[in-house]
Amino acid sequence: MDKDLLFKYNTPGPRYTSYPTVPYWQKTAPTQQKWTELTKNAFSVSNRREGISLYVHLPFCESLCTYCGCNTRITINHAVEKKYIDAVLKEWTMYLAIFGDEKPVIRELHLGGGTPTFFSPGNLTRLVEGLLKNAIVHPKASFGFEAHPGNTTDEHLQALYHVGFRRISIGVQDFNPIVLAIINRHQTYEQVIHLTHKAREIGYTSVNYDIVYGLPQQKACYMMQTMLRVIQLKPDRIAFYSYAHIPWIKPGQRNYTEKDLPDPDKKMAIYETGRNALELAGYHDIGMDHFALETDELFIAQTEERLHRNFMGYTDTRTQLLIGLGASSISDSWTGYVQNEKKVEDYYQKIETNVIPIARGHELTNDDLVLRKHILRLMTSFETSWAATSEVCGDLYKALERLDEMEFDELVEIEPFRLRITKKGKPFVRNVCMAFDARLWADLPQTSLFSQTI
């Protein structure tokens, strides 16, 4: 990889799990009535064609991993489990009422956090069975959950397998004990080995790892050691994320300072070390920050041009309606987004008053929808086209003008009615998408809103 280009284009930018991105949503959220209307319209289109997606946010953790940017609640009181599950299931009944007499077809279900395995196997079973009670499971359904190696037991694996889960995403982050100590991550290599082997023994068909580069005290040699261990265990897919240092948003990151972080040169070396190791081991670059073996569904979806991206990241499942349940969860009806209240107490309060716990949201304009389509194509297949008039808006041509320098650097190829990101340009897919981000250009941030490209 060209280091000069990496430094040149290493600017803060969105990860484009949505367009418009959350900081650029409208100041006033859609009303309950409007969101009901958008949801009902999406359901009528999506349910019979491909089914719908469900994401459940389970925010509780017993201890704070200080690098984490997720919405979490730290507690060792497991009595919170029952009340939270009751609230999530009540929220789901509100959506069932919107759907009417037609049962939802669940095509995708993901449990995220926080730490989903903070919850007992019995409570997770009650949650999932409650969600599926008045629904139909699609014959090609994809169920996955995030697992902390430090507290995910064999009983968790068995219970979730029993209710349909076949994909597990293990939060490895790094295997080096120095790095794990400074980010307050309590797990061992042996726990990851056991969790990986046990999941496969039970019958899980996709074992995924999350690895983070740019963590405090991390070095290129540490990353090489981590990747050698990863390659030995051969997970089916790997999310290789850049650490985002945002202590003004996540105070836990103040447990260390910028001096503990690798400087740009060292972070670049860590990234290249990890990426090169994965590619030499047979992993393929999937979109942004993701690598997969040829046997993994994510790679197959990319080759078959059906890769999708939503608030859960890259997925081989394309649905028009994603319902997010739980505190801080985001729902997507394609024409609109809403995010639930972030604080658990505020979430409970709205659930108790029988309203969908919307905190903020956005109803997409026609131009938003056009640009969203192009950005989604770029993020999933590295190209887009606009031969049809329905795929053109004024901001499209402004985007092409912004790409002049990238075209000169051979990162993109622009033809009449078509744009393709070159192999050289794939690491800069976020930068290309930023050219299409009309709302970003209309109001450039004066403070840091997003993480760096590398």
Side-chain angles (χ1 to χ4, degrees), residues 11 30 54 105 128 163 244 268 270-271 273 337 340 362 369 445-446:
T11 56
L54 278 182
V105 177
V128 176
V163 290
M268 198 75 68
I270 294 168
Y271 169 73
T273 297
Y337 307 113
N340 285 351
H362 183 89
L369 289 166
Q446 302 302 308

Side-chain angles (χ1 to χ4, degrees), residues 43 47 52 54 89-90 92-97 99-106 126-137:
F43 180 78
N47 197 54
I52 70 170
L54 278 182
L89 292 177
K90 185 174 181 180
W92 178 231
T93 63
M94 297 180 199
Y95 280 102
L96 291 174
F99 302 154
D101 295 332
E102 185 176 348
K103 285 189 174 183
V105 177
I106 308 301
R126 184 169 78 89
L127 169 64
V128 176
E129 288 181 343
L131 294 172
L132 302 181
K133 181 180 179 182
N134 295 301
I136 298 169
V137 177

Side-chain angles (χ1 to χ4, degrees), residues 11 13-18 213 238-242 271 275 284-291 298 302 307-310 313-314 375-376 378-382 421 425-434 451-454:
T11 56
R15 299 181 60 81
Y16 291 110
T17 52
S18 74
Y213 66 91
I238 294 163
F240 191 36
Y241 293 122
S242 171
Y271 169 73
R275 180 190 177 94
H284 293 264
D285 191 356
I286 304 293
M288 183 186 73
D289 300 342
H290 279 65
F291 296 82
L298 212 58
Q302 186 185 54
L307 189 65
H308 187 51
R309 186 168 176 81
N310 57 27
Y314 282 107
I375 288 172
L376 179 60
L378 291 167
M379 292 295 291
T380 56
S381 60
F382 298 108
I421 299 176
K426 282 185 177 182
F428 309 102
V429 60
R430 288 167 71 179
N431 303 78
V432 178
C433 290
M434 286 169 66
S451 61
Q452 298 287 110
T453 302
I454 298 298

Side-chain angles (χ1 to χ4, degrees), residues 79-132:
V80 299
E81 295 180 31
K82 181 181 184 302
K83 182 176 181 179
Y84 192 81
I85 290 174
D86 289 343
V88 168
L89 292 177
K90 185 174 181 180
E91 184 184 4
W92 178 231
T93 63
M94 297 180 199
Y95 280 102
L96 291 174
I98 293 173
F99 302 154
D101 295 332
E102 185 176 348
K103 285 189 174 183
V105 177
I106 308 301
R107 181 68 174 81
E108 184 177 32
L109 171 60
H110 188 76
L111 307 181
T115 306
T117 47
F118 170 95
F119 289 74
S120 71
N123 277 332
L124 288 175
T125 298
R126 184 169 78 89
L127 169 64
V128 176
E129 288 181 343
L131 294 172
L132 302 181

Side-chain angles (χ1 to χ4, degrees), residues 147-338:
H148 191 313
N151 71 357
T152 304
T153 64
D154 294 358
E155 289 75 22
H156 280 112
L157 294 176
Q158 291 282 4
L160 288 169
Y161 183 86
H162 181 72
V163 290
F165 285 76
R166 297 296 181 268
R167 184 170 64 83
I168 177 174
S169 181
I170 303 173
V172 173
Q173 323 316 347
D174 194 303
F175 280 125
N176 186 275
I178 296 173
V179 176
L180 291 175
I182 197 170
I183 63 173
N184 199 40
R185 184 82 175 175
H186 304 296
Q187 65 192 48
T188 65
Y189 177 45
E190 290 70 27
Q191 287 171 327
V192 175
I193 293 174
H194 176 80
L195 193 54
T196 301
H197 290 168
K198 191 65 180 179
R200 286 175 171 152
E201 177 187 316
I202 289 171
Y204 285 82
T205 54
S206 185
V207 176
N208 315 154
Y209 286 0
D210 290 344
I211 308 292
V212 180
Y213 66 91
L215 290 169
Q217 300 294 334
Q218 200 175 51
K219 300 177 182 179
C221 60
Y222 294 170
M223 181 56 68
M224 178 55 75
Q225 293 166 351
T226 289
M227 285 303 181
L228 288 174
R229 287 179 164 182
V230 167
I231 290 164
Q232 285 180 339
L233 294 170
K234 206 171 185 179
D236 300 275
R237 72 179 74 157
I238 294 163
F240 191 36
Y241 293 122
S242 171
Y243 167 69
H245 191 59
I246 46 174
W248 56 93
I249 298 175
K250 292 296 176 180
Q253 295 181 353
R254 294 197 177 102
N255 285 6
Y256 42 82
T257 71
E258 284 79 358
K259 292 180 180 179
D260 295 306
L261 301 176
D263 63 32
D265 281 323
K266 290 179 181 176
K267 186 176 181 182
M268 198 75 68
I270 294 168
Y271 169 73
E272 288 193 301
T273 297
R275 180 190 177 94
N276 291 341
L278 291 174
E279 290 184 338
L280 286 170
Y283 287 89
H284 293 264
D285 191 356
I286 304 293
M288 183 186 73
D289 300 342
H290 279 65
F291 296 82
L293 296 174
E294 291 185 0
T295 52
D296 186 72
E297 283 298 325
L298 212 58
F299 176 81
I300 295 169
Q302 186 185 54
T303 58
E304 295 178 354
E305 298 183 351
R306 54 182 178 82
L307 189 65
H308 187 51
R309 186 168 176 81
N310 57 27
F311 285 103
M312 295 184 283
Y314 282 107
T315 172
D316 59 287
T317 302
R318 184 183 293 265
T319 63
Q320 185 163 315
L321 180 61
L322 163 64
I323 299 297
L325 303 173
S328 80
S329 284
I330 298 178
S331 298
D332 175 5
S333 69
W334 184 257
T335 55
Y337 307 113
V338 294

Side-chain angles (χ1 to χ4, degrees), residues 49-102:
R49 188 172 62 191
E50 69 269 336
I52 70 170
S53 297
L54 278 182
Y55 171 78
V56 184
H57 191 74
L58 302 169
F60 300 106
C61 301
E62 287 192 344
S63 62
L64 176 66
C65 299
T66 52
Y67 74 95
C68 182
C70 300
N71 183 54
T72 59
R73 173 62 61 90
I74 309 303
T75 181
I76 57 172
N77 177 19
H78 285 264
V80 299
E81 295 180 31
K82 181 181 184 302
K83 182 176 181 179
Y84 192 81
I85 290 174
D86 289 343
V88 168
L89 292 177
K90 185 174 181 180
E91 184 184 4
W92 178 231
T93 63
M94 297 180 199
Y95 280 102
L96 291 174
I98 293 173
F99 302 154
D101 295 332
E102 185 176 348

